[in-house]
Structure formats: C-alpha cells, structure tokens
Amino acid sequence: MRFIRVIALLVLIIIGGYYLYEKNHLPSQKAIDDFSSTLETKGNMQKTKQIPEERSTIPLEGDIFKWIDKSTDELTETLGEPVRRDRSGYGYEWWVYKDQHKQYIQFGIDDNEIRTIYAVGKDLSLEPIEIGQDYESIKQEFSITNEVSYHKGLASYTFRLKDEELQARPLVKLTDDIFMQLYFDTFTEKLSSIRILSADLLLQHRPYEMEYRGDLPEKPNLTDKQWEKVETGMEQQVFDITNVIRNQYDEPSLKWDKTVSTVAYLHSKDMAVNNYFSHYGLDGDGLKERLATKEVFYQAAGENIAAQYPDVPSAMHGWLNSEGHRQALLKEDYTHLGVGVYRFYYTQNFLKKQ
C-alpha cells in the first residue's frame, strides 16, 4: 500500500511540473492607446455635408451568437457570397458582409466553420442586445466581472480585466468555450460593436492580462507574401469600419485615396521595421512632409496611428475611445481617407479636399 502511495505522489509531481503555473502580463490595449496621439494640419475649413447613402439591411435574423460553429454552406445559404474574403494574421479567413456604410459583419472562417464574428452598424439583429444600447441595461443581461475563467482539460486560464477595460471592452463567457467582447463607446457609455469568438482564438489574440496553467496556442508563422494579403485585408477593414462608425454618428462617408494609402503604409512599415511609435519619422519628417513627397494637395489633414493591437476591430475601438483619435475619426470636414497597415502597425491619414 505504501508503494502505491509513493507511485501516485510521483505522478502528481510530474503532472504539476508539466502544468507549471505562470503569470502572463501582456500590455493592455488601453496602455498602448495612451501612447498614441493625433496630428492635424489645418487649412481652410469650408464645411461640406454628403448625403447619407440609401438604407437597407443585411438579411440576418435571430440570435447572432448561434452562428458560431455553423458551416459556410449555412452562411452562404442565408447571406449569399461575401463581398470580400480577407486572410487574417491568425490562420482563419474573414468573410466580409456589408450594407454600404450602414451595417458591417465579419465572419471568421476556419475549416469551413464560423469561429468568430465581429459586427458593427445600425439596426443589426444581435438579440438579446443591440448596438447603441446603454451599458447599465446590458449589465442586466450579462454578468460583467473583472475575472473570466476558462478550463480545458487540466489547463486553466483566467483573464483579468482592469477597471477601464471593464468599462470599455468587458469580456463575457457565453458557453464553456465561446466568449463575447462588448465594445463600448466610453464617451456615450453605449454599445458600439461586438465580437464573438472561440476560446482558442481568444487565447491567440490575448487582449487582456492573463494567468494560466498549461499551454497557449501558437500564432501562425506567416511568410512575407502571406502578410501582404493580411495587410491588404486589414486596410480595407479599417476603411469600411471607419465609414460605418461615421454613419453611426451621422457623419459623411469618406472616399478611398490610393496615393495617401501608400503614404500611410510607408509610415506603418517604417515604425515597425525601425521599432518606434510616433507621428514623426526618425528623420524628423511628419505627415506634412510625407504627403508633400507624394505631391498630395489638400486643405486639411489628420493622422491616427496604433500599434500591437491584435486586429482591426480592436484598433478601431481604441481610436474611438481616445479623445484626439476620436476627433479625427468623426471629423465632419474630412472627405478622403488613406489607410496603411504593416504587420500590426496601423496608420490612418485623413484629408479634406475640394
């Protein structure tokens, strides 16, 4: 009997050694956000209001949460083919559905199944909640706490949210392995967008500080050509989501500017390659000089930058909740937008043109 007890104790020690307790302090999105700023170059400020585009809706009814794990066949049967398919930096593919600048949904597809959803826009069916709903009423629908845990076999993970994260982007556990991020506009305290994702993808994104025992899923090691496709998709997502957000706040939509997008991309790449984060390059040049290099003519210009956000929805939410970035994002006078993404560095260049 004593021999059996010794063997059992050795087994427990081996298991305990394999699942060694770790504490992973990852940078919060808010901390990165505080490091950002907005630059504006002023010119003549003549106001021009564009006419809002005609309304219609994406034909998606019922509880959007139930679409997780459904097949692509079911998705296309309901919504048809996506307007675009964007490769992500995490191995899955984004299927994009949008209704002009009013509604926008991304379905993350892996192995022909829906593993994550991001939704933003007016009049979306997100039962039992809705975009624009206030924070306090949503707290009555879901349990919003500073700690959210997930267990998989002998492994355990606890996400720890700071108070500001609890207000801006709380995490809700829907089922044993499905989670939801609620993105709130902290200026209005109303829901601006939502993201639903599987536990494995949440662990890949790692958007919160986390204590865990076990392993973390590895991120794909992409080639330069694969990254180019990811970056092109993210640039389109920034453009689309920017216009949807502007529509939510009754601001005119922006036009895509290819030349300015090149300017934005080169700045994102320069920051990533040379490991800095600033509106000014290492040569001292700012937005004004970068635009002049490409002979871009404008009346006013502004720039938003972000770094190390796991993807576009999280970066867009960070900009919306940062006062200076928000002003550029929602500025009525702007008419054009150039977007450049390199790896996880993001640049928006806004212009006012005649």
Side-chain angles (χ1 to χ4, degrees):
M1 180 65 70
R2 180 176 298 174
F3 176 77
I4 293 175
R5 289 177 180 174
V6 171
I7 294 297
L9 180 60
L10 287 173
V11 171
L12 289 174
I13 292 173
I14 292 171
I15 293 175
Y18 181 72
Y19 289 98
L20 187 63
Y21 180 84
E22 297 183 48
K23 188 169 184 179
N24 186 18
H25 285 293
L26 298 162
S28 71
Q29 293 175 345
K30 182 63 178 175
I32 297 171
D33 218 19
D34 285 342
F35 189 54
S36 305
S37 62
T38 298
L39 169 73
E40 187 153 350
T41 306
K42 296 184 178 180
N44 295 327
M45 308 302 284
Q46 296 176 350
K47 294 190 176 181
T48 57
K49 191 81 170 182
Q50 296 180 11
I51 299 174
E53 300 190 27
E54 185 178 349
R55 289 191 173 189
S56 56
T57 58
I58 297 174
L60 186 65
E61 297 180 356
D63 192 342
I64 195 172
F65 314 128
K66 295 179 181 177
W67 279 90
I68 295 293
D69 292 335
K70 288 188 180 294
S71 69
T72 53
D73 288 341
E74 292 176 275
L75 182 60
T76 54
E77 184 177 344
T78 302
L79 297 184
E81 290 294 326
V83 298
R84 199 174 66 246
R85 300 185 186 191
D86 299 336
R87 186 187 294 270
S88 80
Y90 301 92
Y92 57 88
E93 186 178 59
W94 282 117
W95 285 25
V96 177
Y97 292 84
K98 60 179 182 176
D99 166 37
Q100 298 177 0
H101 301 316
K102 183 185 176 187
Q103 296 179 340
Y104 181 91
I105 304 178
Q106 294 182 180
F107 292 89
I109 307 297
D110 187 27
D111 196 21
N112 294 318
E113 289 187 349
I114 300 171
R115 304 303 296 148
T116 182
I117 303 169
Y118 171 74
V120 60
K122 294 180 178 179
D123 303 325
L124 281 173
S125 178
L126 306 176
E127 297 175 3
I129 57 178
E130 61 183 18
I131 300 297
Q133 189 171 346
D134 66 271
Y135 188 94
E136 290 301 321
S137 64
I138 289 179
K139 281 181 65 176
Q140 297 176 13
E141 296 287 348
F142 298 105
S143 174
I144 296 179
T145 62
N146 287 94
E147 293 188 2
V148 180
S149 297
Y150 165 63
H151 301 274
K152 184 177 182 180
L154 294 175
S156 64
Y157 308 85
T158 299
F159 303 97
R160 300 194 183 281
L161 282 68
K162 299 176 182 178
D163 289 341
E164 60 266 28
E165 293 172 331
L166 201 65
Q167 294 299 314
R169 49 189 182 94
L171 180 68
V172 174
K173 189 174 184 179
L174 298 176
T175 67
D176 288 341
D177 60 354
I178 301 297
F179 294 81
M180 176 173 62
Q181 288 180 287
L182 295 162
Y183 290 135
F184 285 94
D185 179 340
T186 56
F187 287 79
T188 64
E189 297 185 350
K190 293 183 178 180
L191 186 67
S192 62
S193 60
I194 68 163
R195 183 209 302 267
I196 307 161
L197 69 172
S198 65
D200 286 344
L201 293 187
L202 181 63
L203 291 174
Q204 274 193 320
H205 289 193
R206 303 170 198 174
Y208 308 98
E209 286 188 359
M210 176 172 49
E211 291 182 0
Y212 67 97
R213 181 178 299 156
D215 296 323
L216 290 173
E218 294 184 3
K219 298 179 182 179
N221 187 18
L222 304 182
T223 65
D224 288 343
K225 287 187 176 180
Q226 289 173 327
W227 266 116
E228 287 178 7
K229 293 182 178 179
V230 172
E231 291 158 1
T232 298
M234 288 199 288
E235 289 169 353
Q236 287 295 319
Q237 291 165 28
V238 170
F239 178 72
D240 287 338
I241 297 172
T242 294
N243 274 328
V244 171
I245 290 175
R246 287 175 67 90
N247 180 272
Q248 284 181 324
Y249 292 86
D250 299 318
E251 295 298 342
S253 60
L254 304 175
K255 297 177 181 178
W256 177 265
D257 192 304
K258 184 178 179 180
T259 301
V260 177
S261 294
T262 299
V263 173
Y265 172 79
L266 291 174
H267 186 55
S268 290
K269 184 175 181 179
D270 191 50
M271 288 191 293
V273 171
N274 292 297
N275 192 31
Y276 74 93
F277 185 68
S278 173
H279 291 286
Y280 293 90
L282 298 181
D283 58 2
D285 285 352
L287 176 59
K288 181 179 179 180
E289 290 77 18
R290 291 193 291 272
L291 292 173
T293 299
K294 295 296 183 180
E295 297 183 346
V296 177
F297 299 97
Y298 57 95
Q299 292 178 297
E303 180 174 86
N304 282 346
I305 58 175
Q308 303 307 326
Y309 282 78
D311 58 9
V312 170
S314 56
M316 292 298 307
H317 181 253
W319 282 331
L320 182 65
N321 280 338
S322 175
E323 186 172 0
H325 300 84
R326 180 189 183 90
Q327 289 175 0
L329 188 64
L330 301 178
K331 192 176 183 65
E332 180 182 333
D333 289 334
Y334 289 142
T335 58
H336 293 72
L337 176 64
V339 181
V341 178
Y342 183 84
R343 302 306 190 256
F344 293 114
Y345 284 75
Y346 312 81
T347 300
Q348 284 182 310
N349 287 158
F350 300 89
L351 294 184
K352 178 188 176 183
K353 293 185 176 182
Q354 285 185 331

